[in-house]
Amino acid sequence: MPTLPVNIGSYLVNLCSALLLLTCFAIVAQRRLMACVDLFALQSGFLAVTATLVAYLTGIHHIYLAAILTIAIKAIILPRILKKIVRQLNVQREVSMYVNIPTGLLICGGLVILAFFITQPIVHLGFLLTQDSLAIALAIVLIGFFIMVSRQKAVTQVIGFLVMENGLFLAATAAAYGMPLMVELGIFFDVLVAGLIVGIYTHQIQETFGSVDTSRMKALKE
Amino acid sequence: MPDENHVTLMVLAAPVVAATLSLFIKNIRTLHGLNVMTMVILVVADLVLWATVVREESFTALGNVVFIDSLSIFILSIVVGVGFSCSIYLWSYFDDEAIQQLVQPHRLWTFFPLYHVFLFAMIVATLANSLGVQWVAVEATTLATVFLITFFKSRESLEAGWKYLILCSVGIALALFGTVLTYYSSIRVLGEENAALNLTSLLPVAAQMDGHVLKLAFIFILVGYGTKIGLVPMHTWLPEAYSEAPAPVTAMLAGVLETVAVYVVLRSKSIVDQAVSPGFTGNLLILIGLVSFGTAALFILIQRDYKRLFAYSSIEHMGLAMLGFGIGGPLGTFGGLWHLLNHALAKSLGFFAVGNIFRRYRTRQIHEVQGMAKVQPITAIAFLAGGLALVGMPPFSLFNSELLVITSLAQMTFQFDSFHLGRFLTITVSHEIRSLGIIMIIVLFAVALFGGFIYRLTGMVWGTPPAGVRQGEAWHIGQLPLALSVLALVWMGFSLPTQVEALLQRATDVVIGR
C-alpha cells in the first residue's frame, strides 16, 4: 500500500506528465525519423512510469497491467515496426515540412496554453493526485494532432497518431484512474493492429509511388 | 422461444466464424455461399431479437456486455438488411470482375475475411453496452475497411485509403477523448467501477452528472464520430474513399457504417441531454447538419464523376438526418431515424447500380456514360429510381422522411442558449433567427441539388451509347438486391409497415429519453 504522502505523489505524477509533454516538443523539433521513433519510445516509457506511479499510489491493480502493455506495445513492438519501415524505405530525414520548426514549436506552445484553458473549468472535479495531468494530456493530444497535419512523411504522421494515443491514455489514467479493463485491452489491440496496418500500407505506398512522401499524392484533387 | 442469450451470441459469433472459415476456403463459390448463409443467419437472428424487444422493451445479454433496446435493434436491422442485399450483389459483382479478368480469384481470399471482420465490428458497435467498447468497435471498422477500400491497389485507391486511415484515426482519437471525459464525469456519480461506461448504468444517473464536462465530451464525440459520418468539415476523405473502393464496399460504407456512427452519436446525445438542456446538443447538430447539407449541395453541382456525385449525396443526407436529430422532439427524431433507414436503402441501391455501370463502361466520367437505357435497361431503371429517391422525389420514402424533418423545423421555436468554452469564449446564437429562414435556405439548396443531380442522371440514361460498349443486359441474381431496394423504398413511401413504424416510434422514445 502507498507509503508516500499524497502531495509528494502528486508532484511525481506531475513531473512524469511534464516529461511526456517535453518529449512531444522534442518530436516536433526533430527532423530525423529514427530519432522521432526513439523519442516516441521514450515518451511511452515515461507514460508507463506515470501509470505505475498512479497504480502504486492508488492501489488499483489493473493500471499495472496497462503499464506493462504500454511498455510491451508502445515502447518495444511499435517502435521496432516503425524502425524497420524507416530502414526499408531508406528515408532518414524529413526535408520539407508544411510548417518550419521554430513556428511549429511556437504553435505547440500555444496549444499547451489552449489545453490548460479548455480544461480549467473541469479540473477541480478530478482526483487530487492527478489533477493537473488532464490539461497536460489534452496538450499532448493536440500536439500529436499538429504533428500529423504538419508533416509529410507517412512515418511521422503515424508517430503523430501514436502521440495522440499516448495523450489519450494519460487522460484516461489521470482523469479516471484508467478505463474499464475490457475497454483498455480493446484500445491496446486497436493501436497494435493500426501499427501493423501502417507497416503493410507504407510498403504498398513505397511500391506504387516510389516514395513515402504523402505530399506526392496529388491525383485526387477537386 | 429461443433464449435471447443464445441468439445474441449467434449474432456475434456468425461473422467471426465466417471470417475464420474464409481464411481457409479457397473455392470462390463456397466463399460466396458462406457469405450469403452468414447473412441469412444474421437476418433471422435479428428478427428474433426484434420480437424479443417488442415483448420486453430492452434487455441485457451475455452478462451485461450486450444491451439491446428498440434503437439498437433498428440500427442492427439496417446493418443486416443492407448486408444481406450486399452479399447477393457481391456474388455477381466478383463473378463479373473475374470473367473480365480484372480481379484474380486469389484476391478474394483476402477480401472475405476482412469483409466479415468489418461486419462483426459494426454489429459489436451496435450491440455493446459500454461506450468504450463502442469506441473500440468503431475504430476496428476503420482498420478493417482500409484494405477493402484499396482492394484494386491503384495509385488513386492507395491515396484515398491513406487519407481515410489517417483522418478517421485522428477523428476517432478525438472521440476517445470525449469518451474519457464521459467516464470522468460518470465515476463522480457511480464510483470507480467497471460498469461506469455502460449505457445501463449511465442512463439512469445521467441527470446527476456534471454538465460542463459532458458538454465538452459531446463536442469531442461529435467531431470524432462526425469524421466517420462524413460531416463537413471533416468529410474530405469521404468522396475519395467512396469513389475508389469497390462498389459493394462503398454500398456498405455509405449505407451501414455511416448509420452506425450516427447511432453512437445518438447514444451520447441521449446521455448529455439529461444533464444539460437539450438545446445544447440540438443546436450543435443543427449547425453541423446545415453546413453539411449546404456544402454537399454546392459540391454536387460541380461533380464530373458519378461515384463522387453519390458520395457527396451521402454527406448531404447525413446532414439532413443530423438536422432532424438536432431539432429533436418526437417529429424531428422520428424523421431523422426514418431518414437513416431510407438513406441506407437508397444509397446502397445507388452504389449497386453505379457498380454495374462502371463494370460496363469502365469509366467514372459522367460525360462518357451515355445511353444506359439501351446498354443496361435493368440497371438504368434502378439507377434512375435511386437517383430520384436520393433527390427526395415521391413516391420514394426519402420524400416522406425529408418532409418530416422540414415540417419539424417549421414547428420549432428557437430557444438558443449560450455556452461557454473556457472563460471568455462564449458562443451565443440570437433568438431572432426564425425557422422559416432556414427552411427557405434548405429548400433553395434542395432545388439546386435536384437540378444538379437530375441533369446528370438523365444525361447518362438517355442518349446514344458510345461505340465499343456491349449492349443488352440479361436478368440475373445480382439484380435482385436492386429490385428489392426499389420495392422497399416505394412501399414505405406509400405506407410504412406497422411493425417498422412501431419500432421507429419506440426508437424515437429512446433517443429523446421518454
Side-chain angles (χ1 to χ4, degrees):
Chain A
M1 280 324 275
T3 47
L4 284 170
V6 170
N7 57 346
I8 293 180
S10 165
Y11 283 138
L12 282 174
V13 172
N14 279 347
L15 177 69
C16 280
S17 314
L19 285 172
L20 272 159
L21 189 59
L22 201 65
T23 45
C24 274
F25 277 93
I27 293 174
V28 173
Q30 185 56 258
R31 273 176 190 275
R32 284 178 44 238
L33 296 183
M34 280 295 188
C36 280
V37 177
D38 281 333
L39 283 167
F40 164 70
L42 181 69
Q43 185 182 51
S44 308
F46 285 136
L47 183 63
V49 174
T50 317
T52 316
L53 263 176
V54 173
Y56 174 69
L57 292 167
T58 55
I60 299 171
H61 292 295
H62 74 87
I63 308 182
Y64 283 121
L65 180 65
I68 294 168
L69 283 173
T70 306
I71 287 282
I73 294 178
K74 287 181 176 166
I76 298 172
I77 300 179
L78 285 176
R80 279 202 174 178
I81 296 177
L82 288 173
K83 282 192 165 175
K84 203 175 152 206
I85 296 171
V86 174
R87 266 196 297 276
Q88 273 177 352
L89 303 180
N90 204 17
V91 271
Q92 298 299 327
R93 288 170 68 83
E94 185 114 38
V95 181
S96 65
M97 301 185 191
Y98 294 117
V99 183
N100 68 22
I101 287 178
T103 322
L105 286 172
L106 274 177
I107 292 174
C108 290
L111 289 177
V112 175
I113 297 170
L114 179 73
F116 272 87
F117 176 66
I118 291 177
T119 49
Q120 199 191 19
I122 61 170
V123 284
H124 66 92
L125 294 164
F127 303 104
L128 193 60
L129 183 62
T130 51
Q131 227 167 34
D132 298 316
S133 298
L134 188 63
I136 296 178
L138 182 60
I140 295 172
V141 171
L142 293 176
I143 292 177
F145 187 65
F146 173 76
I147 294 172
M148 287 187 84
V149 296
S150 66
R151 298 295 186 100
Q152 293 177 354
K153 292 278 185 283
V155 177
T156 23
Q157 286 180 349
V158 173
I159 291 176
F161 172 67
L162 292 170
V163 167
M164 271 180 97
E165 280 285 344
N166 275 353
L168 289 165
F169 185 83
L170 180 66
T173 316
Y177 291 159
M179 303 284 268
L181 190 60
M182 191 163 60
V183 179
E184 219 150 58
L185 292 179
I187 293 172
F188 274 114
F189 180 72
D190 274 351
V191 170
L192 184 61
V193 175
L196 293 174
I197 286 184
V198 164
I200 304 169
Y201 208 103
T202 37
H203 203 72
Q204 289 186 357
I205 294 180
Q206 172 83 355
E207 274 178 1
T208 319
F209 289 85
S211 156
V212 277
D213 193 338
T214 52
S215 68
R216 294 217 185 158
M217 298 184 174
K218 289 252 160 58
L220 294 174
K221 282 277 151 68
E222 222 28 89
Chain B
M1 281 306 275
D3 182 10
E4 61 252 19
N5 268 315
H6 295 148
V7 182
T8 317
L9 193 63
M10 201 161 79
V11 172
L12 291 172
V16 178
V17 173
T20 322
L21 286 179
S22 315
L23 281 174
F24 300 107
I25 297 174
K26 298 289 177 229
N27 183 316
I28 306 296
R29 294 214 148 267
T30 325
L31 274 174
H32 282 297
L34 178 69
N35 183 21
V36 174
M37 210 175 70
T38 314
M39 292 318 300
V40 171
I41 293 175
L42 285 177
V43 169
V44 172
D46 172 64
L47 291 176
V48 173
L49 288 177
W50 185 341
T52 318
V53 165
V54 168
R55 219 170 47 240
E56 295 181 13
E57 197 85 21
S58 70
F59 60 91
T60 58
L62 305 176
N64 254 343
V65 173
V66 169
F67 171 67
I68 298 178
D69 61 7
S70 320
L71 183 59
S72 24
I73 277 298
F74 174 66
I75 303 293
L76 184 68
S77 305
I78 296 180
V79 174
V80 298
V82 175
F84 177 67
S85 61
C86 190
S87 67
I88 297 176
Y89 181 76
L90 263 176
W91 198 321
S92 80
Y93 182 85
F94 277 129
D95 275 1
D96 230 36
E97 295 276 11
I99 290 167
Q100 300 193 23
Q101 299 201 322
L102 289 158
V103 173
Q104 303 298 319
H106 72 264
R107 300 282 325 277
L108 291 187
W109 303 340
T110 57
F111 182 88
F112 278 103
L114 285 172
Y115 181 75
H116 289 296
V117 170
F118 173 42
L119 256 178
F120 174 67
M122 285 193 292
I123 292 173
V124 171
T126 317
L127 299 185
N129 190 353
S130 158
L131 294 179
V133 176
Q134 277 183 353
W135 181 87
V136 172
V138 175
E139 167 72 2
T141 59
T142 313
L143 301 176
T145 43
V146 169
F147 289 121
L148 294 179
I149 288 175
T150 62
F151 186 69
F152 290 128
K153 284 193 171 167
S154 64
R155 282 177 87 107
E156 288 80 13
S157 72
L158 279 174
E159 187 178 333
W162 183 254
K163 214 166 167 183
Y164 170 74
L165 179 66
I166 291 294
L167 271 168
C168 284
S169 301
V170 172
I172 270 309
L174 294 177
L176 180 59
F177 195 76
T179 313
V180 169
L181 286 176
T182 312
Y183 189 56
Y184 179 56
S185 68
S186 81
I187 54 170
R188 305 281 101 212
V189 183
L190 291 164
E192 287 154 56
E193 51 165 324
N194 277 333
L197 264 180
N198 283 5
L199 286 166
T200 40
S201 355
L202 280 172
L203 286 169
V205 298
Q208 305 161 33
M209 282 156 63
D210 183 82
H212 199 102
V213 182
L214 283 183
K215 278 184 181 179
L216 202 59
F218 187 75
I219 293 175
F220 276 103
I221 284 174
L222 181 62
V223 171
Y225 293 120
T227 315
K228 278 299 270 218
I229 305 172
L231 296 173
V232 177
M234 294 85 73
H235 69 289
T236 46
W237 62 271
L238 190 144
E240 267 121 64
Y242 279 19
S243 50
E244 296 303 330
V249 174
T250 316
M252 288 299 275
L253 288 174
V256 187
L257 186 55
E258 284 180 3
T259 316
V260 171
V262 172
Y263 163 79
V264 182
V265 173
L266 285 181
R267 283 294 188 198
S268 287
K269 179 182 188 297
S270 63
I271 292 165
V272 178
D273 277 352
Q274 290 186 44
V276 301
S277 74
F280 174 75
T281 58
N283 291 339
L284 276 177
L285 291 179
I286 290 176
L287 181 72
I288 205 164
L290 274 178
V291 171
S292 303
F293 183 79
T295 315
L298 293 179
F299 272 99
I300 280 176
L301 289 178
I302 58 163
Q303 290 311 310
R304 298 206 178 106
D305 173 331
Y306 54 83
K307 257 185 149 177
R308 289 177 79 98
L309 189 73
F310 277 78
Y312 276 106
S313 147
S314 267
I315 302 177
E316 172 236 329
H317 283 286
M318 284 300 129
L320 209 61
M322 283 297 154
L323 190 64
F325 295 126
I327 297 159
L331 202 59
T333 312
F334 187 93
L337 285 173
W338 192 15
H339 200 69
L340 285 183
L341 169 64
N342 293 334
H343 172 259
L345 286 170
K347 195 44 66 65
S348 55
L349 165 67
F351 277 116
F352 291 156
V354 161
N356 284 352
I357 299 169
F358 182 71
R359 270 177 298 154
R360 188 63 68 88
Y361 286 84
R362 287 290 154 200
T363 173
R364 290 206 311 260
Q365 295 300 310
I366 290 171
H367 67 94
E368 289 172 16
V369 177
Q370 281 186 338
M372 269 175 63
K374 289 189 192 118
V375 176
Q376 290 170 297
I378 301 172
T379 304
I381 294 171
F383 184 65
L384 208 56
L388 286 172
L390 286 172
V391 292
M393 282 282 106
F396 303 103
S397 51
L398 269 98
F399 169 73
N400 309 37
S401 51
E402 281 194 33
L403 199 63
L404 268 182
V405 171
I406 293 179
T407 315
S408 67
L409 187 61
Q411 290 183 351
M412 178 186 185
T413 46
F414 277 75
Q415 288 292 326
F416 283 114
D417 60 353
S418 55
F419 59 93
H420 308 274
L421 205 67
R423 229 181 226 163
F424 42 81
L425 186 68
T426 306
I427 299 174
T428 320
V429 186
S430 109
H431 288 261
E432 266 61 55
I433 301 172
R434 279 279 161 259
S435 43
L436 276 179
I438 299 185
I439 292 178
M440 287 277 285
I441 296 169
I442 289 184
V443 171
L444 252 170
F445 276 128
V447 169
L449 207 138
F450 175 81
F453 226 83
I454 292 300
Y455 170 69
R456 291 187 167 77
L457 255 51
T458 46
M460 288 168 74
V461 170
W462 285 286
T464 34
V469 174
R470 189 168 55 84
Q471 295 197 10
E473 186 180 32
W475 171 265
H476 59 89
I477 187 77
Q479 323 273 24
L480 187 69
L482 285 89
L484 285 179
S485 305
V486 175
L487 199 70
L489 285 170
V490 175
W491 187 12
M492 287 200 297
F494 281 109
S495 75
L496 192 58
T498 42
Q499 286 89 347
V500 180
E501 192 184 345
L503 184 68
L504 267 169
Q505 201 63 60
R506 289 169 72 169
T508 307
D509 291 346
V510 170
V511 176
I512 57 180
R514 264 206 307 230

